[in-house]
Amino acid sequence: VHSDPELWEKLGMDVARFSGMPAMLTNAYKNIFLSQHNRPSKMAYFDDMVANIHTGRIREIYDAKQGGKPVVGTFCVYVPEELVVAAGGICIGLCGGAQGSIADAEKILPRNICPMVKSAFGFKVGKICPYFQVVDLVYGETTCDAKKKTWELLDRYVPTHVMEIPQMKRERDKRLWLDEVKDFKAAVERITDTVADFDAVSAGIKTINAKRFALQRLNSLRHHNPSPISGRDMLLIEQIAFYDEPVRFAQKVHELCDELEQRISSGDAVAPTSTPRIMVSGTPMALPNWKLHYIIESAGAIVVNEESCIGTRYYKDLIDEGSTDLDQQLERLTERYMKIDCSCFTPNDDRMAQVLKEYEASGAEGIIDYCLQFCHTYNIEAVKLREMCEARGIPFMSIETDYSPDDMGQLQTRVEAFLEQI
Ligand code: BJ8
């Protein structure tokens, strides 16, 4: 991992403290990623994105911002990045997946809330995330209680707007959501000082559709048995999707897909056909949270699908590009976003059908449901998932954990016992 203290200083970071952090990332990265055998060569781009995470991409965003492109930070795949691109801004996902910032957050926030919220908040309070420092505006949402109440506090450190995400999907909820999308568009236009007209929104939709489509292609190639790519590499790419430049990212994903197609036709795989195939479902795994994938793959299985917002929920649906006016564009955009089956909705039965569909498409042989500690909605929804799996004879296990390494041994034992059933 390279360093750029001059840039970090300009971003108002705690440079002394931050300078010690990239080394940890390097060691973890070497163990988890670079030690893998027979990785696709096109993973080099994504390795480089991580090696340069605190220099290259952040420098690129900083320079673009100096050139008049404001930066919007988000925490949920419900916030429509198409509209940020349409208005000439940059959109980056800011969710936190690191243990290192939790203690900062716990000086202010209660301890018994979701680690993702604490990690993200701690990054801002401790001034130890350059991406958090570069954003002009944060757009939060009212999905879960931990997030929506944290935004009130986060607003003291960085301007934080909040959009209301309905909790149901009736017609009146869809109307409310359309109004929220329009408010979001106006807020982004205010900071970019640009009105996103029909052509600009078309271009924004095309760019983000292309990114999502590239990920769809990659995910369907990785479903091949034997797997041409590991689950942890796929997760890494899904994480990088939230901060890379979207056009270049899509191109690099397609280059990797081309290589995977060749690997499939020549029978070149990362694990033999007999390897147990596991699908992960549940809460998002924000960068650098690789804990569960590492445990599963170190136990001799391979992860073949992530039913998660850092996973298929982010890219399974595209926006219809055939609109003829701006109103229709925004309606179609809201329709696409309303298909996201987050457990914050009630009822959320579409998710059951989606999990089953992805289970079958990926050729998985068991589901491990991943729930971040204190995430009540996913935790309770796991009851229905378990019932559905039991009724169909699908091996199912749910795990509730946080970012600390303390339960690694216990999780390893549970995962190994689960794999024996397969
Ligand atoms: S659309 S999953 S990205 S809200 S894990 S912070 S819900 S307590 S992340 Fe999410 Fe949007 Fe839904 Fe997706 Fe709260 Fe749960 Fe933590 Fe969560």
Side-chain angles (χ1 to χ4, degrees):
V1 176
H2 306 118
S3 68
D4 191 346
E6 186 209 326
L7 174 64
W8 301 340
E9 200 75 58
K10 283 188 194 149
L11 291 170
M13 299 186 63
D14 182 341
V15 178
R17 188 170 158 211
F18 184 65
S19 300
M21 301 188 82
M24 292 191 315
L25 193 59
T26 307
N27 288 335
Y29 198 77
K30 274 189 196 146
N31 288 340
I32 299 172
F33 291 94
L34 303 181
S35 63
Q36 298 178 90
H37 296 296
N38 198 22
R39 288 175 88 207
S41 65
K42 295 292 181 189
M43 280 307 296
Y45 171 77
F46 303 100
D47 287 338
D48 205 49
M49 280 299 293
V50 175
N52 291 306
I53 190 166
H54 297 147
T55 53
R57 177 62 181 142
I58 189 68
R59 167 67 73 177
E60 191 177 50
I61 293 173
Y62 180 79
D63 290 346
K65 178 173 154 137
Q66 300 306 107
K69 270 181 168 289
V71 187
V72 177
T74 66
F75 292 90
C76 176
V77 299
Y78 241 95
V79 182
E81 60 185 290
E82 289 84 356
L83 298 179
V84 181
V85 174
I90 295 173
C91 188
I92 47 176
L94 288 173
C95 288
Q99 175 74 1
S101 56
I102 300 253
D104 294 84
E106 287 181 348
K107 286 182 196 151
I108 299 165
L109 293 175
R111 301 188 67 176
N112 55 347
I113 61 168
C114 171
M116 190 150 72
V117 174
K118 282 191 287 190
S119 172
F121 187 73
F123 274 129
K124 183 66 206 172
V125 176
K127 301 182 186 151
I128 45 174
C129 172
Y131 293 89
F132 229 129
Q133 294 303 107
V134 83
V135 299
D136 296 283
L137 176 78
V138 163
Y139 227 94
E141 19 56 49
T142 59
T143 45
C144 68
D145 292 353
K147 290 212 253 184
K148 80 178 166 224
K149 297 307 289 182
T150 299
W151 307 146
E152 294 173 24
L153 304 177
L154 186 66
D155 189 45
R156 297 173 183 172
Y157 303 86
V158 54
T160 305
H161 293 231
V162 180
M163 71 193 319
E164 181 164 0
I165 311 275
Q167 312 272 293
M168 298 177 88
K169 292 184 177 175
R170 301 160 304 182
E171 278 314 308
R172 74 181 92 155
D173 301 307
K174 291 179 184 170
R175 284 197 296 277
L176 173 133
W177 173 234
L178 180 58
D179 284 341
E180 291 292 319
V181 166
K182 288 178 180 167
D183 283 357
F184 175 68
K185 182 172 181 287
V188 174
E189 288 171 340
R190 272 197 298 280
I191 60 157
T192 59
D193 203 16
T194 308
V195 173
D197 61 11
F198 174 79
D199 289 339
V201 174
S202 289
I205 289 174
K206 275 203 175 75
T207 300
I208 303 303
N209 269 354
K211 169 162 77 158
R212 299 193 209 274
F213 176 73
L215 287 163
Q216 287 178 0
R217 181 183 170 209
L218 182 60
N219 201 39
S220 65
L221 287 169
R222 70 83 84 109
H223 288 164
H224 189 266
N225 191 5
S227 300
I229 183 169
S230 68
R232 70 193 94 164
D233 278 339
M234 182 72 196
L235 174 64
L236 180 73
I237 295 166
E238 289 166 334
Q239 292 169 332
I240 291 172
F242 286 86
Y243 73 95
D244 199 2
E245 196 288 312
V247 175
R248 180 182 58 213
F249 173 83
Q251 186 200 323
K252 295 295 173 185
V253 170
H254 281 301
E255 286 174 16
L256 174 63
C257 288
D258 293 344
E259 184 184 359
L260 297 194
E261 277 177 353
Q262 284 167 11
R263 288 189 143 217
I264 289 169
S265 60
S266 62
D268 197 3
V270 291
T273 318
S274 55
T275 309
R277 297 167 67 80
I278 299 298
M279 167 168 153
V280 169
S281 62
T283 51
M285 296 170 176
L287 199 77
N289 176 9
W290 306 306
K291 185 172 165 180
L292 184 61
H293 278 54
Y294 185 56
I295 290 173
I296 295 172
E297 297 198 334
S298 301
I302 187 155
V303 180
V304 293
N305 199 72
E306 292 79 26
E307 187 273 331
S308 165
C309 284
I310 298 184
T312 54
R313 272 200 294 279
Y314 179 63
Y315 52 77
K316 71 182 171 66
D317 305 305
L318 304 182
I319 298 173
D320 184 332
E321 292 181 18
S323 300
T324 50
D325 60 49
L326 189 58
D327 283 341
Q328 197 182 28
Q329 273 176 329
L330 294 181
E331 271 167 34
R332 287 181 170 177
L333 180 145
T334 59
E335 277 166 23
R336 183 256 165 215
Y337 276 83
M338 268 284 159
K339 289 185 193 148
I340 298 171
D341 42 14
C342 175
S343 65
C344 295
F345 284 88
T346 185
N348 192 36
D349 294 334
D350 288 350
R351 179 163 171 241
M352 301 299 129
Q354 185 63 27
V355 166
L356 206 53
K357 191 172 149 195
E358 293 182 22
Y359 181 75
E360 282 161 6
S362 63
E365 298 162 292
I367 296 179
I368 298 185
D369 192 57
Y370 174 76
C371 188
L372 282 168
Q373 230 171 33
F374 308 113
C375 178
H376 305 315
T377 57
Y378 278 92
N379 215 348
I380 295 171
E381 204 158 275
V383 174
K384 282 190 162 183
L385 272 185
R386 177 184 295 281
E387 288 167 356
M388 181 188 79
C389 289
E390 282 175 357
R392 287 172 173 76
I394 298 172
F396 178 86
M397 175 169 76
S398 61
I399 276 179
E400 190 186 355
T401 185
D402 60 8
Y403 298 160
S404 113
D406 296 353
D407 61 352
M408 286 286 279
Q410 191 203 348
L411 290 179
Q412 262 156 5
T413 310
R414 287 189 61 203
V415 167
E416 281 162 11
F418 181 67
L419 294 179
E420 274 168 24
Q421 294 175 36
I422 289 172

Short mmCIF file of all heavy atoms in Angstrom, two decimals, residues 75-78 114 116-117 143-144 147 283-284 309 313 340 342 344 372 374-375 378, ligand 1:
data_model
loop_
_atom_site.label_atom_id
_atom_site.label_comp_id
_atom_site.label_asym_id
_atom_site.label_seq_id
_atom_site.Cartn_x
_atom_site.Cartn_y
_atom_site.Cartn_z
N PHE A 75 -24.38 5.26 1.92
CA PHE A 75 -24.27 4.07 2.80
C PHE A 75 -25.26 3.00 2.44
O PHE A 75 -25.45 2.06 3.20
CB PHE A 75 -24.53 4.48 4.25
CG PHE A 75 -23.46 5.36 4.80
CD1 PHE A 75 -23.56 6.74 4.67
CD2 PHE A 75 -22.35 4.83 5.41
CE1 PHE A 75 -22.57 7.55 5.16
CE2 PHE A 75 -21.36 5.64 5.90
CZ PHE A 75 -21.46 7.01 5.77
N CYS A 76 -25.93 3.14 1.34
CA CYS A 76 -27.00 2.19 1.06
C CYS A 76 -27.18 2.12 -0.45
O CYS A 76 -27.11 3.15 -1.13
CB CYS A 76 -28.28 2.66 1.72
SG CYS A 76 -29.71 1.64 1.36
N VAL A 77 -27.44 0.92 -0.95
CA VAL A 77 -27.62 0.77 -2.40
C VAL A 77 -28.96 1.34 -2.85
O VAL A 77 -29.30 1.29 -4.02
CB VAL A 77 -27.50 -0.70 -2.85
CG1 VAL A 77 -26.12 -1.24 -2.53
CG2 VAL A 77 -28.57 -1.58 -2.23
N TYR A 78 -29.72 1.89 -1.92
CA TYR A 78 -30.96 2.57 -2.28
C TYR A 78 -30.73 3.98 -2.81
O TYR A 78 -31.63 4.58 -3.41
CB TYR A 78 -31.90 2.61 -1.07
CG TYR A 78 -33.16 1.86 -1.38
CD1 TYR A 78 -33.31 0.54 -1.02
CD2 TYR A 78 -34.17 2.47 -2.13
CE1 TYR A 78 -34.44 -0.16 -1.37
CE2 TYR A 78 -35.30 1.77 -2.48
CZ TYR A 78 -35.43 0.46 -2.10
OH TYR A 78 -36.52 -0.24 -2.46
N CYS A 114 -24.94 -1.97 15.25
CA CYS A 114 -24.29 -2.64 14.12
C CYS A 114 -22.83 -2.19 13.92
O CYS A 114 -22.54 -0.99 13.90
CB CYS A 114 -25.11 -2.32 12.88
SG CYS A 114 -24.36 -2.81 11.35
N MET A 116 -21.12 -2.13 11.27
CA MET A 116 -20.91 -1.37 10.03
C MET A 116 -21.16 0.12 10.26
O MET A 116 -20.41 0.97 9.78
CB MET A 116 -21.84 -1.90 8.92
CG MET A 116 -21.52 -1.34 7.57
SD MET A 116 -21.93 -2.48 6.28
CE MET A 116 -23.67 -2.39 6.30
N VAL A 117 -22.17 0.42 11.05
CA VAL A 117 -22.49 1.81 11.36
C VAL A 117 -21.37 2.40 12.23
O VAL A 117 -20.88 3.51 11.99
CB VAL A 117 -23.86 1.91 12.06
CG1 VAL A 117 -24.14 3.32 12.52
CG2 VAL A 117 -24.96 1.41 11.13
N THR A 143 -33.22 3.48 6.52
CA THR A 143 -33.46 2.05 6.42
C THR A 143 -33.60 1.44 7.81
O THR A 143 -34.68 1.10 8.23
CB THR A 143 -32.33 1.37 5.63
OG1 THR A 143 -31.09 1.89 6.09
CG2 THR A 143 -32.47 1.58 4.15
N CYS A 144 -32.49 1.35 8.53
CA CYS A 144 -32.59 0.76 9.87
C CYS A 144 -32.41 1.85 10.92
O CYS A 144 -31.94 2.95 10.64
CB CYS A 144 -31.53 -0.32 10.05
SG CYS A 144 -29.86 0.33 10.08
N LYS A 147 -28.77 3.29 11.51
CA LYS A 147 -28.31 4.27 10.52
C LYS A 147 -29.06 5.59 10.68
O LYS A 147 -28.45 6.65 10.77
CB LYS A 147 -28.49 3.71 9.10
CG LYS A 147 -27.54 2.58 8.78
CD LYS A 147 -27.18 2.57 7.31
CE LYS A 147 -27.81 1.46 6.54
NZ LYS A 147 -27.38 1.42 5.15
N THR A 283 -26.43 -9.67 5.38
CA THR A 283 -26.01 -8.27 5.48
C THR A 283 -24.75 -8.01 4.65
O THR A 283 -23.96 -8.93 4.42
CB THR A 283 -25.74 -7.88 6.95
OG1 THR A 283 -24.86 -8.85 7.52
CG2 THR A 283 -27.00 -7.84 7.76
N PRO A 284 -24.57 -6.76 4.22
CA PRO A 284 -23.41 -6.44 3.38
C PRO A 284 -22.08 -6.62 4.11
O PRO A 284 -21.99 -6.48 5.32
CB PRO A 284 -23.63 -4.96 3.05
CG PRO A 284 -25.03 -4.63 3.40
CD PRO A 284 -25.45 -5.60 4.44
N CYS A 309 -26.09 -6.74 -0.36
CA CYS A 309 -26.02 -5.46 -1.10
C CYS A 309 -24.62 -5.24 -1.65
O CYS A 309 -24.46 -4.50 -2.61
CB CYS A 309 -26.45 -4.32 -0.22
SG CYS A 309 -28.24 -4.34 -0.07
N ARG A 313 -27.71 -7.93 -4.74
CA ARG A 313 -28.73 -6.88 -4.58
C ARG A 313 -28.30 -5.58 -5.24
O ARG A 313 -29.11 -4.75 -5.60
CB ARG A 313 -29.06 -6.63 -3.10
CG ARG A 313 -30.17 -7.54 -2.57
CD ARG A 313 -30.83 -6.98 -1.30
NE ARG A 313 -29.92 -6.95 -0.19
CZ ARG A 313 -29.62 -7.99 0.57
NH1 ARG A 313 -30.16 -9.16 0.36
NH2 ARG A 313 -28.76 -7.88 1.56
N ILE A 340 -35.26 -3.70 -4.88
CA ILE A 340 -34.25 -4.12 -3.91
C ILE A 340 -34.98 -4.75 -2.72
O ILE A 340 -35.89 -4.13 -2.15
CB ILE A 340 -33.39 -2.91 -3.45
CG1 ILE A 340 -32.65 -2.32 -4.63
CG2 ILE A 340 -32.42 -3.35 -2.34
CD1 ILE A 340 -31.94 -1.01 -4.33
N CYS A 342 -34.44 -5.49 0.52
CA CYS A 342 -33.77 -5.33 1.82
C CYS A 342 -34.73 -5.76 2.92
O CYS A 342 -35.94 -5.53 2.84
CB CYS A 342 -33.41 -3.86 1.99
SG CYS A 342 -32.72 -3.48 3.61
N CYS A 344 -35.26 -4.39 5.55
CA CYS A 344 -35.91 -3.25 6.20
C CYS A 344 -37.37 -3.14 5.76
O CYS A 344 -38.15 -2.41 6.37
CB CYS A 344 -35.16 -1.96 5.90
SG CYS A 344 -33.51 -1.96 6.60
N LEU A 372 -24.76 -9.23 10.57
CA LEU A 372 -23.92 -8.39 11.44
C LEU A 372 -24.64 -8.25 12.78
O LEU A 372 -25.87 -8.14 12.83
CB LEU A 372 -23.70 -7.02 10.79
CG LEU A 372 -22.66 -7.04 9.68
CD1 LEU A 372 -22.70 -5.73 8.89
CD2 LEU A 372 -21.25 -7.26 10.23
N PHE A 374 -26.46 -7.21 15.97
CA PHE A 374 -27.45 -6.17 16.27
C PHE A 374 -28.24 -5.69 15.04
O PHE A 374 -28.91 -4.67 15.11
CB PHE A 374 -26.83 -4.95 16.98
CG PHE A 374 -26.01 -5.31 18.17
CD1 PHE A 374 -24.64 -5.12 18.19
CD2 PHE A 374 -26.62 -5.88 19.30
CE1 PHE A 374 -23.89 -5.48 19.30
CE2 PHE A 374 -25.87 -6.24 20.41
CZ PHE A 374 -24.50 -6.03 20.42
N CYS A 375 -28.14 -6.41 13.93
CA CYS A 375 -28.98 -6.07 12.78
C CYS A 375 -30.29 -6.85 12.92
O CYS A 375 -30.39 -8.01 12.51
CB CYS A 375 -28.30 -6.42 11.47
SG CYS A 375 -29.38 -6.04 10.08
N TYR A 378 -32.36 -8.29 9.48
CA TYR A 378 -31.80 -9.49 8.83
C TYR A 378 -31.82 -10.69 9.77
O TYR A 378 -32.06 -11.83 9.37
CB TYR A 378 -30.39 -9.23 8.30
CG TYR A 378 -30.44 -8.53 6.95
CD1 TYR A 378 -30.41 -7.15 6.87
CD2 TYR A 378 -30.58 -9.26 5.78
CE1 TYR A 378 -30.50 -6.51 5.65
CE2 TYR A 378 -30.68 -8.63 4.55
CZ TYR A 378 -30.63 -7.26 4.48
OH TYR A 378 -30.74 -6.64 3.28
S1 BJ8 B 1 -30.66 -1.87 1.05
S2 BJ8 B 1 -29.06 -4.08 3.44
S3 BJ8 B 1 -27.34 -1.32 1.98
S4 BJ8 B 1 -29.98 -0.81 4.35
S5 BJ8 B 1 -26.42 -4.43 8.60
S6 BJ8 B 1 -26.54 -0.89 8.83
S7 BJ8 B 1 -29.52 -2.75 7.99
S8 BJ8 B 1 -28.14 -2.82 11.26
S9 BJ8 B 1 -26.88 -2.28 5.57
FE1 BJ8 B 1 -28.23 -2.09 3.97
FE2 BJ8 B 1 -29.39 -0.47 2.22
FE3 BJ8 B 1 -30.71 -2.56 3.21
FE4 BJ8 B 1 -28.76 -2.93 1.53
FE5 BJ8 B 1 -28.56 -1.46 9.56
FE6 BJ8 B 1 -28.46 -4.06 9.43
FE7 BJ8 B 1 -26.30 -2.72 10.01
FE8 BJ8 B 1 -27.34 -2.61 7.58
#
